[in-house]
Structures are given as C-alpha cells and as structure tokens.
Amino acid sequence: MIKTFCKTQVEVKVSEDGYLEDMSQWNEEIAHEIAGELGIELTDKHFEVINYLREKTEAKEALTIRKVGKSGIVSIKELYQLFPKGPLKFSSKIAGIPKPTSCI
Amino acid sequence: MKNLLILGAGTSGTMMANHLISKLPKKEWSITVIDQFKTHYYQPGFLFLPFDIYTTKQVKKKGEKFIPKGANYIQKKIELIQPDENKVILEGGRVLDYDILIVATGTKIAPGEIEGMDGPMWYKNIFDFYTYEGAKALRNKLREWEGGKLVVHITEMPIKCPVAPLEFAFLADSYFKNKGMRDKVDITYVTPLGGAFTKPKATEALHHLLEEKGIKEVTDFNIERVDYENNKIIDYAETEVEYDLLVTVPTNMGDELMERSGMGDDLNYIPTDKATLQTKDHENIFAIGDATNLPASKAGSVAHFEAEILTENILRYIKGEPLKAEFDGHANCFIETGNGKALLIDFNYTHEPVEGTFPLPGIGPLKLLKESRTNHMGKMAFRWIYWNMLIKGRHIPFVSTNMTEKGKHFETVEK
C-alpha cells in the first residue's frame, strides 16, 4: 500500500495497518503526521523514545514493553502516558518501524 | 579425554544426553549432565493436575532414571559459567572444565516481577499452574471452591507453552460444567496480546471457541500490579479486572545463572542463532529449549525438533565442519479444548498454523486446527510418548524435524 502524507507530500510504503515498510523513508515530519492521526502531540520525550526504538530496530533487537521500560529513557508507566492505548504499537507506528510482534 | 557438559536435566538436557551418548566415541568424550533437582516433571501434566485429571504420581519421576548409562550425572546447583575460560563452577566450589557446553537450563516463573502477585495471597486466591507446587495447590483450592469470578491471566510474553492458559480456561469450563456449577462461575481470559493467540488464523478459531464456551476476553492488558486486598488486577492504562480466584501465568524468565554469568538478555535468555542453536557469543557453547532467546515457542515439541538438529551440529562442530542452519522454528501443539476434545496446531518461524491433516498429508488421522476426539486421544497418549520415547531421544514415527507443507491448506506463501 502507498500512503501520501499531505503536509510533506511524500509517498511511503505502508502495511495494511499503517506501519511503514521501509524505515529509511521516515522523517520527523512524517512522525508528526502519524502522531496527529493517533491524537498524540509529539514532545522531545516522545522523540527520545522514538529514536531508541529506531536504534534498536536497526540493531535487529526485538522490542518489548519491558525492554523500553528498562531503557533508562522512560518507565513503562511513562510510556503509557506518552502513547496512551498503544504504548508499543503506537510508538512503533510513529517511529516508522514494523509492527511489534510477540514471539510464540 | 574431552568433556561435554550439559547444564540442566529437563526435557532438552535429558534428550541431548540420550542423543549424544551413542554418537560420541566413548574413548574420546566424557558426557556430564548437571541439575540441582532430583525430580523430572512431566510439565504438560501440570495443566491437568488442577482438574484432577492427572494424579501427582503421573507427572513426576526420578530424573536420574532417564540419564543414559555411560553419562555422568551430578545433582548440584550451578554457581557460575566462565565462558572465556571454558569452566563451570558448582555450588561448593567444584570446577568442571569443558570443551563443549550445552545450556539447557530452561525457563521458570518469576511472580516477584509484578507487585502484589506473590504477596500474602499467593496460593490463597492467586495461583500459578506452571509449577508442581502451584498446580497442586490450585487443585486443592478448586476442589472446595464454591464459584465466583475466575480470571485466567497472562502477565507478559514470552511464556512457556503459550497455549496452556487458553487450555486452562477451556478445561475450567468443562470442569465446572461437570460439577454442575458452571452457572456460578464467571470465566475471563486476560492477555497482553491483541487476541487469544498471536497467529491470526489460530486466533480466529480460538476466539470462536472462547465465545462458544461463554469465556470473556480482555486483550491488550499489560499488568502493573495485583491489588490483593481488593482482589483486582490493574494494568498500566489503569484498566481493572476483578477476581475471586486469579490463575496467572507470571513473567517467565531464564535461570539466574545466566545473569550471574553475564550471558543472558533482559529476561535471562541466552542469545542463540535461531537456525544453528550455537550461542551468539561463544562458538563452543550451544543452547537448546526454553533457555534460548529463539523466536519460537517455549515447548517440549520445539525442544524435540531442536535436539535432532543440535546433535548433528555438535558432531559437525567436533569435526570442524560448517554447522547446519536448519532449525525452522517447528512447533507442534495439542490444544485441549475441554469436554474430551482437542485441537492440533503445527507451525514454524514463517508459517502460521493452518487447517489440514497430520502427520500423514491428506490422511491424518489427526486434523489440524479442528476440534476432535482423536486429537484429545493424541494428547493423552503423549504422556506415554514423553516418558518412553521423547526424552530418551527416540525418533517419533512420521513426525519430521522440519515442518512439512504437504497436506496443509496454505492460502498464499507467507512472509
């Protein structure tokens, strides 16, 4: 699926549920736009989390709520406050990384 | 003489000892298995113990009985692994040198990770069923429980046997129906996942079953604490679920030995190559079963398939040959659905469970992702297979190490 972001007028590839398929197509403008759609206004703290998620994804490390809670950036409680209703799903979507999967 | 050490005499460790004993030349290799506990538990049986379907005797045997003659067995706690010096230190200070190390220390529950979980109400109205003690205490509680709100809960992923909590909910439904008190029991299934299971096709089938049995679902629930004074579990988003009886699967973690030895991730699982089973940091250390960080189920069937590939890779490693990168994440699980029926699922890293027949393509007799009595018989027969074939390292007829795609109804090729 191709999605066009209106403010930036960039076309990016997204999955069915709206996650960027190529994380290199991401930029801060896009982050703001996705966040807006989710009703979240991004602050510096949000970006600290987003950058952490992107770094770990680039290093091919699996992300969990527990891991973010131990990152030293935010506690799990704060992560919920920053991204209500979707601490890991919404933050991942805004960070332009794939949808988090729980291993089985 | 060279030394191969196996840490842990659970399902994986015992299987590896049995596989390797006949493959490694006795004059060159000494095999030693170390485990601190005397008893080997049939862990799938913990699901049936609370409902008086299995007796305590059916789920435990003396572990040493299954270690092959010719291998050394040391019943001692392991204090430390020193991977850079190829040494393992036991409690009391005894030092063992190794040429090859296999880590099979498994996973266990860590209820202390959640505030209020293992507090004053632990084993009073809050139980786990992932330990022998928990399953037995819960059995005694269920025998006298008069009904109310039963909450079946998963704390966080990954957990051992991810389908077990669902099976528990299904069996609870049958158990209370048989006791003539289903109308007095309200069952709720609470999970941190977005649905009953992580694989979409199976989630659909399982969701339908939950609905049919009148079991409520609460999804995306990430528990923060247990309010044991007011009988509520509370998640980070302040959602509350009330219970009279809480059956939880606490956080699962690898052995603290990994933390002490600086070899584990944030859940004490050892980073391992998902295809070869060699650990990422040390080429003469291999890991198997629940102790690894593999993105596969933590389950005996997975350990069984891993053991066949790991045995071959240990032999290749000794000969200096390249390792076989063949483990595909194959898992095969019976899902007990209550009322004498079960589902069967077969999947791997890339293929989710689908409908079809197993183990013979087009014939069965077992049906994938469909409830049947034959599947239930298969699950019941498995206890015998476990004690007599699986941990002894015998090949199970018709069941291949890598998942077969034949006889299955794949819609399209996945990922």
Side-chain angles (χ1 to χ4, degrees):
Chain A
M1 236 163 68
I2 300 284
K3 177 170 175 171
T4 312
F5 286 94
C6 21
K7 282 185 197 154
T8 45
Q9 284 300 312
V10 248
E11 285 190 346
V12 295
K13 265 191 242 161
V14 295
S15 66
E16 256 175 52
D17 30 17
Y19 291 81
L20 259 64
E21 292 200 329
D22 176 1
M23 65 183 283
S24 70
Q25 291 189 314
W26 179 91
N27 61 41
E28 291 197 6
E29 302 278 306
I30 291 178
H32 280 291
E33 210 160 322
I34 301 173
E37 289 168 9
L38 297 169
I40 297 169
E41 197 172 321
L42 297 180
T43 62
D44 290 350
K45 199 73 194 167
H46 286 95
F47 275 104
E48 276 184 52
V49 175
I50 288 167
N51 291 331
Y52 171 82
L53 297 179
R54 290 183 58 84
E55 274 166 34
K56 293 295 161 192
T57 305
E58 268 169 18
K60 295 202 159 68
E61 290 181 36
L63 289 162
T64 58
I65 290 181
R66 163 180 285 265
K67 188 161 182 160
V68 181
K70 284 192 174 176
S71 62
I73 297 166
V74 280
S75 65
I76 300 181
K77 194 85 189 166
E78 288 161 342
L79 184 68
Y80 267 86
Q81 283 157 359
L82 292 173
F83 302 96
K85 290 178 190 158
L88 197 56
K89 283 181 200 157
F90 286 3
S91 57
S92 298
K93 195 179 257 189
I94 298 168
I97 59 171
K99 187 176 178 177
T101 51
S102 295
C103 310
I104 277 290
Chain B
M1 197 74 165
K2 289 184 174 168
N3 294 311
L4 181 137
L5 294 189
I6 300 173
L7 307 184
T11 308
S12 297
T14 305
M15 274 192 299
M16 285 315 294
N18 282 305
H19 274 298
L20 289 168
I21 199 76
S22 56
K23 303 257 166 51
L24 294 182
K26 285 190 179 53
K27 284 180 188 155
E28 289 169 44
W29 284 91
S30 148
I31 299 177
T32 304
V33 185
I34 307 156
D35 196 295
Q36 58 183 317
F37 300 112
K38 200 170 81 185
T39 308
H40 186 117
Y41 291 105
Y42 174 58
Q43 296 177 61
F46 294 169
L47 172 68
F48 298 105
L49 193 53
F51 302 110
D52 271 316
I53 298 171
Y54 281 175
T55 62
T56 52
K57 276 189 186 150
Q58 287 173 314
V59 300
K60 56 177 185 174
K61 289 187 197 294
K62 203 175 162 192
E64 202 176 345
K65 229 177 97 175
F66 300 96
I67 305 296
K69 285 191 189 94
N72 310 303
Y73 180 65
I74 304 175
Q75 195 198 317
K76 263 260 185 292
K77 191 179 167 198
I78 305 151
E79 201 51 58
L80 201 67
I81 304 168
Q82 294 182 319
D84 296 327
E85 292 168 40
N86 299 327
K87 287 182 196 310
V88 166
I89 301 168
L90 304 184
E91 193 179 51
R94 186 172 166 195
V95 180
L96 299 172
D97 294 295
Y98 63 81
D99 295 284
I100 294 176
L101 183 70
I102 298 175
V103 180
T105 44
T107 182
K108 54 185 179 182
I109 60 161
E113 290 288 306
I114 301 297
E115 186 192 323
M117 192 176 275
D118 62 353
M121 295 312 282
W122 186 240
Y123 291 0
K124 300 254 174 31
N125 72 343
I126 306 173
F127 295 84
D128 79 283
F129 67 97
Y130 270 47
T131 57
Y132 176 71
E133 294 74 24
K136 197 176 151 191
L138 181 55
R139 177 197 69 184
N140 296 342
K141 175 76 181 183
L142 287 176
R143 280 178 180 174
E144 59 179 41
W145 196 50
E146 287 171 359
K149 296 189 187 84
L150 168 65
V151 171
V152 183
H153 167 250
I154 300 172
T155 301
E156 63 182 298
M157 299 304 287
I159 57 166
K160 180 166 17 201
C161 191
V163 293
L166 271 168
E167 297 180 276
F168 187 93
F170 294 145
L171 286 174
D173 169 69
S174 289
Y175 177 81
F176 293 119
K177 265 184 197 147
N178 291 337
K179 276 183 122 181
M181 56 181 284
R182 182 63 182 87
D183 57 327
K184 291 192 185 120
V185 182
D186 181 63
I187 308 176
T188 308
Y189 185 75
V190 183
T191 169
L193 300 172
F197 200 61
T198 53
K199 315 271 173 183
K201 268 240 144 149
T203 297
E204 218 175 280
L206 293 164
H207 168 74
H208 179 72
L209 278 172
L210 285 167
E211 226 171 26
E212 196 181 282
K213 293 172 195 293
I215 299 168
K216 291 177 203 132
E217 273 177 273
V218 176
T219 55
D220 292 306
F221 186 96
N222 283 291
I223 189 169
E224 184 189 9
R225 63 195 167 94
V226 179
D227 179 356
Y228 58 81
E229 285 170 338
N230 298 302
N231 294 336
K232 286 191 287 201
I233 48 174
I234 300 161
D235 94 336
Y236 284 102
E238 306 291 335
T239 314
E240 297 182 349
V241 177
E242 290 181 359
Y243 64 83
D244 293 304
L245 179 58
L246 174 64
V247 176
T248 184
V249 181
T251 304
N252 277 212
M253 291 179 87
D255 202 278
E256 291 100 340
L257 169 66
M258 296 307 129
E259 198 178 350
R260 289 198 295 273
S261 309
M263 293 170 71
D265 64 10
D266 55 352
L267 284 167
N268 295 343
Y269 295 123
I270 184 163
T272 308
D273 186 288
K274 69 177 196 175
T276 66
L277 304 172
Q278 187 175 43
T279 61
K280 294 208 168 146
D281 294 335
H282 304 279
E283 63 161 27
N284 64 338
I285 305 181
F286 296 82
I288 179 167
D290 298 351
T292 74
N293 74 334
L294 260 53
S297 284
K298 294 193 180 298
S301 68
V302 176
H304 165 76
F305 299 131
E306 286 173 347
E308 297 188 352
I309 284 162
L310 182 55
T311 302
E312 212 175 316
N313 273 346
I314 300 254
L315 299 176
R316 283 169 173 253
Y317 176 77
I318 290 171
K319 287 187 208 148
E321 291 170 4
L323 303 182
K324 241 176 145 179
E326 269 207 347
F327 185 61
D328 65 352
H330 190 187
N332 180 268
C333 313
F334 288 104
I335 306 177
E336 197 63 16
T337 52
N339 205 18
K341 288 184 184 175
L343 290 174
L344 179 65
I345 55 174
D346 196 51
F347 58 103
N348 67 11
Y349 288 140
T350 49
H351 288 79
E352 63 164 302
V354 290
E355 291 171 7
T357 50
F358 187 87
L360 302 175
I363 297 169
L366 304 177
K367 286 197 172 63
L368 295 167
L369 211 53
K370 282 233 160 62
E371 258 192 310
S372 81
R373 287 189 192 280
T374 326
N375 288 340
H376 168 71
M377 300 306 283
K379 177 132 184 159
M380 293 293 120
F382 191 71
R383 185 165 55 89
W384 187 90
I385 294 175
Y386 182 86
W387 290 121
N388 295 286
M389 294 179 78
L390 192 113
I391 59 170
K392 291 184 176 167
R394 293 196 194 143
H395 187 76
I396 298 174
F398 311 118
V399 180
S400 60
T401 303
N402 287 101
M403 197 190 81
T404 171
E405 294 177 23
K406 288 180 194 141
K408 293 182 182 164
H409 308 164
F410 291 112
E411 278 167 6
T412 48
V413 180
E414 280 103 85
K415 306 181 222 189

